[in-house]
Structure formats: C-alpha cells, structure tokens
C-alpha cells in the first residue's frame, strides 16, 4: 500500500477536496458539540459505553455462543467466517441458492472491508448500494472517503453529470439536490421492490435476544431489511452487546456523536424470522477477519470498541486536510490509523501509526473513550524501523543517558551549525517551509553555571 | 518547598529563554529553584518515535533525578504530560508552569508588565493531556499593559507533533499554514503558548513568511 505521507501529499494538492472536507467536517463537528453539550451526564454515558464494550471483549467467547443460540431460537441461521473470503462465499451461496443476479445492499463498512461487492460480482451477482452516497460512488467506480459521508469528496455538479450518464434514463437533470435525490429514489424504489435478497451489516447484535440493529438516516436500510424475502447480515464479532437494555446507552451515544442528531431518523431492529412479516429467511455471518488477533493485544484491543460514529474523523486535524483515501483502507482517520495496522498486521500498514500529531482531539470526542493516542504509541513501538533511524535514535538515547555526553553533544551541535536556513538530511523537510530555530548561543545550563556557579 | 526545575532537552538547547524566565518568575514570587544538573530528556522523544525501551530507561533516570523534590516545575506541557505517563511514581508532583502558579500557588498576578497585543495558542497537550484549563489565560489577563486577542480556531493543532513534522511534512505544513493564517487574522504582535516546541513550529512558519509576528513563551511574558 502507498505510504500515508505519499498518499497525503497527493490528496493535499486537491483544493476542491480540502474545501469540501473543511466545510463538511466543520458543520458536523459543530452540530455534535451542540447536542453533546445538552446531555448533562455525557461523560458517565461514555464511561458506561466503554465499560460495556470492555466487558464484551473480555467475555466475547461466551457472548458469541449466546448470540448464536438466540438467533437460531428465533428462526435465523448463523454462519461463522474466519476471514473475508469465507464470509463472501457464504453470502454468494445464499444468493445462488435463490437464483438471483442482483441483491440490494445497505451501506456497511464491514462488507467493504472484505470486498463483498467485488466477490459477488466475480460470482455473477450484482450488489446494488442503496445509500445515496454509496450509490454515487458505486456508479462511478469510486470508493468511500468518510465513514458517514462516504462521498464527502464529491460535489453536486459531478453527481448530476454522473446520474445523467447512468440512472437518469436519458432525462435532463439540474444540480438541484432535491432533483438529484428524486432521481436516485426512483431508481432505488424499483430495485427494492424487485429484489429477492437483501444484504446488510449491522451496528449492534444483542447476545441476549439475537436482535440485530441498523441505525441510519435515509430509510434505505429499512427497505433492504424488510422488503426482500431473504436477508443476509454480515456482523463483525466485536459488534455484540450483552443485553437489549445496553442499547439505551449506545442509542444515545451514537446519533449524537455521528450526525450530531439527538436521534437518527431510522432505527431498525429485528430478531430472527417473523412469520408473515419481513424476510422469511434470515442469515447472519459472524466475521473474524483479524479481530481475534486484535483482541489478543491488551492495549490495542480497545480499537474493537469502536461504534463507527466518525466523530474522531471530523475533529482530526490530519484527516480534515488529507481526507480518507490517504489512509488506504475502508477505515479512515484516527480509528483507521489504529484499526487497519492491527487487522492487517503492523508490517502491512507501518506508516499509519505515525499519521497523527498526537493532538488528542479524537480521544476527547470518542463516545466509547478509545484512547487513540496511546494505541498509536503502542503500535509505533511495534513498527519496524529503518536502520539509519534506529542507529540515530539509539545513539541519542545513549547521549541522553549520560549528562557528560549530552553537554558535549550540545557544544558539538552548536559548533557544527552553519548560517544556513535550509539544511539537508532528515531535517530538510522541516526547512522547506519553516525556518529552523538556531541553537542557543548559551544553553540554559551554561547560563545557570555562569549566574549561579553550580 | 523544594522546587526542581525541569528545563527539558529542547528548552536547554534551543530556547533557554523559557526556562530562564521560569526561574525569574518563581524567584520573584519568593521561591527557591534548584536546577538538577544531571537532567537531560524525559523520554518523550523516544516514546513518540516508537522506541519504548529507550523511553523507559530515560524515564527511570528522570525519576531518580527528580524523585526528592516537593514539586517539579517545567515550562512545557508536552514534556510534563510525558513525565506523568512514563514516570508515574512522581507524576502527582510534576507541574507545568501555569498550572503550578495558578493551581498550586494560587497566584494570577505575577507582577508582569508587557504593553503589547498578544494572542494565545492553547497547545494540544496543555489542553487535552495536562489540562491546564484557563490558567495561562488568567495569568495573561493579569499582565499590566497586555491586550489579549482571541485566536480563531484556537484549539486546532499547529502541526508539530514531534516526529510528525518530520515524517509527514506536507500534512504538518498544511496544518501550520492554517495556524499562521489564524494568528495573522488577530493582528497580534506576539503569539504565545506554554510549549516551546509548538512555538518553534509556529515561529518557523511566521518567520519564513516574513510576517513580523513574534513568538514568546508564556514564561517570558510573565517574567517581563
Ligand atoms: S474511534 Fe471512537 S470516535 Fe472514532 S469512529 Fe470509533 S467510536 Fe467514533
């Protein structure tokens, strides 16, 4: 994968992207701050969210079995998938069993993570994304750059042109958002009514009852999970909650943190199969795909607490400038910087733990109190360092470990410093855009000796 | 009270004005300050760069050097934050200067006079790690002659982040550009903060753009 600094450099050159990102993230961020400030016990709620998730991680083995039992008791079928390939094969089998060439789908990061759409396509099944933004990206062969606002990097006139090329049936469109939405709606309604199989992810799975929960804004998720006679849900194993009552905490935390709303417009809950109402065949695929490895790391595992609200993206000074694509994964921003290296192995994403100034804004807003800066440091310690850097850092540690060496190095550095305002070597990147602070003519300790004689 | 001064490796080497000013302010308030000569770095640089073993060794060294003081005071929130995490045995006795003055000594007016237009950048670690709160602002408001102007989007990171500025130069520069724009919008003569490293980043940008806006550590203003 392209390293973060390299991908970021390209993204930073796109002024349209930076403009869109700034506007959109500022709006959502301010909305979030307002509705969070309304809740007097927000910090207690966050702590409750954190504690419930920590309990789930500690006892995940028990909760998973309980969940399986509950789903089966309610008439659903449970499948276990070790990785993306297994999960994709299970979904494809269900589609094939019903002889379909099209399925309707709700926006889901988990299915993006495993490349479900591509796998289905390879098997001759077309998955239609029904979320407005996801539809745009799918029609254009693009991919999401924000968890919640996947097409944050696109603007209206681009969308108008795209729709005219694809789903408008030769009609002329303006770039009026309402007209664009209506065009998508007409196209999607027909797809909903025709579809035999729906595919979804889920925000939560309840171990106690086997209930699945989808939280959304547009209502397309409600259509996907109720209209087709067959429904398949892919659920990351970390998404479980112990009891139905736990939703009380998370349905307060999630909408306020993600869209800055007190409550989101559509919350769909279903439990197995209900005769004569909704899908008559229900499958849930429990996906591991690296999660048990993350679980085995005591510091890193808190990344699995994430409820994908995207609050951390909207406040991140790095994400707000580079956008999501630079993170090279479906999980962008601060959460991506700690989740991707853990899911894929640190060696496969070694620049991501460094894609942060450690400003701490993410930790402050995270509704489940994931200490992202600490996990970043934890992961930095696991990255393989290049030889020159390792030698330099080891020598520096030796110098800091001995005050005689340290004082000698101070004098040496000052003597070696030329009049140059731009320097070569590792600091060249600094001096391209900033002036370098010259070494002090007299260090503090020299001043102290001169003044105080000790 | 025995106060140990932790000047930080960067403060010692690159911006000694800040620790010198810290001495001036504390002594003006009648306190004795000790400078333990063996001090070097707290370990943050190595922790930040992913060298945890080296960071821990330096933290143990730091704990031994500063273990006997009633209070350890430093003009850097970033280093204080690192010490609190890496050297937990002495964490409760380690303070950033402004939080020490306001929170521990109960002082806001340190007798300073600084007749200039100043804007204050709340650094990330002072805001979110050490949580100095309103202390720096209260100290600035009590400085005679000083006009404090609000910095737009004040709590946005300046883009320094230690190794971040070196490993992600383009993103760091984009962050710095926005910070410099905010500073210039205030019409301030001086931008101040409680971290020399962030001031080095902001000052480097302001000076390269020849803006004429200066940077001064909060301690320097308080010592004026
Ligand atoms: S890490 Fe926290 S703030 Fe970021 S998306 Fe996940 S839950 Fe939300």
């Amino acid at each position: 994968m392209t390293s973060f600094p390299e991908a970021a450099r390209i993204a930073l050159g796109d002024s349209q992207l930076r403009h869109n990102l700034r506007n959109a993230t500022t709006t959502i961020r301010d909305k979030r701050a307002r509705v969070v400030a309304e809740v007097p016990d927000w910090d207690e709620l966050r702590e409750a969210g954190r504690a419930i998730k920590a309990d789930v991680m500690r006892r995940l083995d028990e909760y998973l079995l309980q969940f399986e039992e509950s789903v089966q008791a309610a008439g659903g079928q449970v499948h276990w998938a070790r990785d993306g390939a297994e999960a994709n094969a299970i979904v494809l089998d269900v589609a094939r069993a019903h002889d379909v060439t099209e399925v309707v789908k709700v926006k889901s990061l988990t299915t993006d993570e495993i490349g479900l759409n591509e796998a289905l396509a390879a098997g001759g099944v077309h998955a239609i994304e029904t979320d407005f933004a996801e539809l745009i990206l799918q029609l254009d062969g693009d991919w999401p750059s924000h968890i919640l606002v996947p097409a944050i990097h696109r603007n209206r006139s681009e969308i108008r042109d795209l729709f005219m090329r694809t789903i408008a049936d030769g009609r002329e469109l303006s770039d009026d958002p309402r007209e664009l939405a209506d065009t998508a709606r007409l196209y999607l309604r027909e797809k909903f009514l025709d579809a035999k199989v729906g595919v979804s992810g889920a925000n939560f799975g309840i171990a106690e009852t086997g209930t699945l929960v989808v939280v959304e804004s547009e209502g397309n998720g409600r259509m996907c999970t109720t209209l087709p006679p067959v429904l398949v849900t892919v659920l990351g194993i970390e998404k479980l909650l112990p009891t139905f009552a736990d939703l009380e905490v998370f349905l307060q935390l999630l909408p306020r943190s993600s869209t800055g709303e007190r409550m989101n417009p559509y919350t769909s809950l279903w439990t197995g199969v209900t005769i004569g109402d909704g899908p008559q065949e229900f499958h849930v695929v429990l996906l591991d795909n690296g999660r048990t490895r993350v679980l085995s790391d005591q510091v890193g595992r808190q990344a699995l607490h994430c409820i994908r609200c995207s609050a951390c993206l909207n406040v991140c000074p790095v994400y707000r400038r580079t956008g999501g694509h630079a993170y090279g994964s479906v999980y962008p921003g601060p959460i991506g910087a700690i989740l991707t290296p853990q899911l894929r192995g640190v060696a496969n994403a070694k620049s991501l733990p460094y894609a942060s100034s450690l400003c701490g804004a993410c930790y402050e807003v995270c509704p489940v109190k994931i200490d992202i800066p600490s996990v970043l440091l934890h992961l930095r310690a696991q990255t393989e360092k290049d030889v020159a850097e390792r030698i330099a850092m080891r020598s520096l540690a030796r110098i800091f470990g001995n005050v005689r060496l340290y004082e000698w190095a101070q004098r040496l550095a000052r003597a070696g410093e030329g009049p140059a305002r731009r320097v070569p070597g590792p600091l060249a990147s600094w001096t391209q855009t900033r002036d370098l602070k010259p070494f002090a003519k007299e260090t503090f300790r020299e001043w102290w000796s001169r003044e105080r004689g000790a | 009270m025995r106060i140990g001064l932790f000047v930080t490796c960067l403060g010692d080497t690159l911006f000694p004005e800040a620790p010198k000013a810290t001495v001036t302010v504390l002594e003006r308030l009648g306190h004795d300050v000790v400078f333990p000569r063996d001090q070097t770095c707290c370990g943050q640089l190595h922790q930040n760069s992913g060298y945890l073993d080296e960071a821990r060794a330096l933290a143990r060294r730091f704990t031994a050097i500063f273990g006997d003081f009633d209070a350890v005071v430093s003009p850097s929130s970033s280093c204080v934050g690192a010490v609190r995490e890496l050297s937990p045995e002495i964490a409760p006795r380690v303070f950033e200067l402004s939080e020490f003055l306001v929170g521990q000594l109960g002082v806001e007016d340190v007798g300073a006079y600084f007749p200039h237009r100043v804007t204050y950048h709340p650094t990330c670690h002072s805001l979110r790690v050490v949580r100095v709160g309103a202390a720096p602002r209260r100290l600035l408001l009590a400085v005679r002659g000083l006009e404090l102007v609000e910095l737009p989007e004040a709590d946005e990171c300046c883009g320094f982040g230690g190794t971040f500025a070196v490993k992600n130069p383009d993103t760091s520069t984009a962050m710095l550009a926005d910070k410099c724009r905010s500073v210039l919008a205030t019409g301030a003569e001086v931008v101040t903060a409680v971290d020399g490293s962030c001031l080095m980043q902001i000052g480097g940008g302001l000076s390269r753009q020849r803006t004429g806006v200066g940077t001064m550590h909060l301690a320097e203003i308080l010592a004026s």
Side-chain angles (χ1 to χ4, degrees), chain B residues 19-39:
Chain B
K20 281 194 236 170
T22 304
V23 175
T24 308
V25 173
L26 290 171
E27 289 183 347
R28 191 197 283 156
L29 294 171
H31 296 280
D32 285 330
V33 180
V34 179
F35 170 65
R37 227 199 144 86
D38 281 345
Q39 65 178 284

Side-chain angles (χ1 to χ4, degrees), chain B residues 123-173:
Chain B
T123 63
C124 300
H125 288 188
S126 70
L127 208 60
R128 304 189 189 94
V129 178
V130 175
R131 298 181 186 278
V132 300
R137 185 173 302 277
R138 295 190 14 209
L139 291 161
L140 284 169
L141 286 172
V143 173
R144 267 163 287 278
L146 185 145
E147 183 196 351
L148 185 63
V149 284
E150 282 306 315
L151 182 66
E153 304 192 352
D155 55 5
E156 280 272 318
C157 178
C158 69
F160 177 66
T163 46
F164 176 75
V166 177
K167 290 204 190 241
N168 287 279
D170 299 289
T171 311
S172 168
T173 298

Side-chain angles (χ1 to χ4, degrees), chain A residues 147 305-313 335 362 365-368 370 372:
Chain A
I147 291 181
H305 295 189
C306 175
I307 58 174
R308 315 277 189 260
C309 72
S310 70
C312 58
L313 279 61
I335 181 60
C362 47
V365 297
C366 178
V368 287
I370 302 174
I372 295 176

Side-chain angles (χ1 to χ4, degrees), chain A residues 4-5 8-9 12 18 22 26 29 315 317-318 320-322 351 354-361 363-364 374 377-378 380-383 385-386 389-394 396-397 399-404 406-407 410 413 421-422 426-427 429-440 442-450 452 454, chain B residues 5 7-17 19-20 23-24 27 33-41 45-52 54 58 61 85 124-125 127-129 131 153 155-157 159-179 181 197 200-201 203-205 207-210:
Chain A
F4 183 84
R9 194 176 56 75
L12 285 163
R18 278 175 73 177
R22 197 187 167 88
T26 305
R29 186 168 77 158
V315 298
V318 175
R320 274 162 48 85
R321 289 172 180 83
T322 64
S351 65
Y354 295 91
S356 163
S357 67
L358 304 176
C359 81
Y363 182 24
E364 196 175 54
S374 293
L377 289 178
H378 177 71
R380 284 182 187 186
Q382 296 170 22
T383 60
K385 317 293 190 299
D386 72 53
E389 187 200 281
R390 200 164 57 228
I391 293 171
M393 292 300 286
R394 293 254 160 87
L396 201 54
I399 291 170
F400 284 150
N402 177 327
V403 76
R404 297 285 150 256
Y406 170 80
E407 291 176 354
Q410 281 182 323
R421 279 153 58 94
R422 294 174 199 233
L427 285 176
S429 60
W430 174 276
T431 53
Q432 251 155 36
T433 51
R434 319 167 187 80
D435 285 340
L436 197 62
K437 178 115 175 117
F439 287 102
E442 183 182 49
T443 61
F444 176 85
R445 62 183 58 233
E446 287 165 343
W447 173 81
W448 182 271
S449 305
R450 189 165 57 75
R452 313 290 163 109
Chain B
L5 178 68
V7 300
T8 81
C9 56
L10 289 181
D12 186 9
T13 314
L14 289 178
F15 29 85
E17 308 81 17
K20 281 194 236 170
V23 175
T24 308
E27 289 183 347
V33 180
V34 179
F35 170 65
R37 227 199 144 86
D38 281 345
Q39 65 178 284
T40 58
C41 176
L45 176 68
H46 284 83
Q47 188 198 31
N48 189 314
S49 313
Y51 295 82
L52 218 48
E54 286 83 355
L58 289 171
R61 191 176 176 277
E85 196 194 325
C124 300
H125 288 188
L127 208 60
R128 304 189 189 94
V129 178
R131 298 181 186 278
E153 304 192 352
D155 55 5
E156 280 272 318
C157 178
F160 177 66
T163 46
F164 176 75
V166 177
K167 290 204 190 241
N168 287 279
D170 299 289
T171 311
S172 168
T173 298
M175 289 158 71
L176 173 61
D178 291 341
K179 184 55 74 183
R181 200 170 311 122
S197 48
M200 184 166 75
Q201 158 97 341
S207 132
R208 174 56 57 87
Q209 293 170 32
R210 302 187 188 283

Side-chain angles (χ1 to χ4, degrees), chain A residues 26-188:
Chain A
T26 305
T27 309
I28 310 179
R29 186 168 77 158
D30 294 350
K31 266 176 83 181
R32 176 208 162 269
R34 273 198 302 277
V35 298
V36 162
E38 290 175 356
V39 184
D41 59 347
W42 184 254
D43 274 330
E44 284 86 345
L45 265 177
R46 289 174 77 212
E47 179 50 30
R50 189 205 61 77
I52 293 167
K53 282 291 188 177
D55 169 63
V56 169
M57 297 313 147
R58 247 188 323 268
R59 296 171 53 197
L60 192 57
D61 51 340
E62 298 166 40
Y63 289 131
L64 280 167
L65 293 175
Q66 191 191 1
F67 178 76
E68 179 182 42
E69 225 171 84
S70 313
V71 171
Q72 285 167 344
Q77 301 177 40
V78 178
H79 309 261
W80 298 80
R82 259 174 302 218
D83 55 23
E86 283 189 11
N88 292 338
I90 294 163
V91 181
L92 186 61
D93 279 349
V94 174
R96 282 193 172 142
H98 293 276
D99 244 350
V100 296
T101 54
E102 259 185 18
V103 298
V104 287
K105 190 160 165 285
V106 206
K107 168 173 129 68
S108 141
L109 280 164
T110 310
T111 58
D112 288 346
E113 173 193 325
I114 58 177
L116 176 64
N117 292 6
E118 294 73 19
L120 288 177
V125 176
H126 178 49
I128 299 163
E129 290 292 351
T130 61
D131 173 88
F132 185 61
E134 292 276 347
L135 173 70
I136 294 168
L137 300 178
Q138 189 180 41
L139 290 172
D140 208 19
D142 193 356
W143 51 298
S145 65
H146 187 281
I147 291 181
L148 196 79
V149 199
I152 199 167
H153 57 297
R154 310 305 292 264
N155 64 25
R156 277 198 251 165
S157 58
E158 288 176 341
I159 295 166
R160 180 195 82 116
D161 295 347
L162 172 68
F163 280 5
M164 283 183 49
R165 278 204 315 276
T166 51
I167 60 173
D169 259 339
R171 271 171 296 130
E172 188 68 28
L173 298 177
S174 74
D175 66 359
D176 172 29
R178 162 123 231 144
E179 194 177 335
L180 295 175
D182 281 345
T183 308
R185 189 172 288 129
L186 185 68
Y187 168 78
L188 289 172

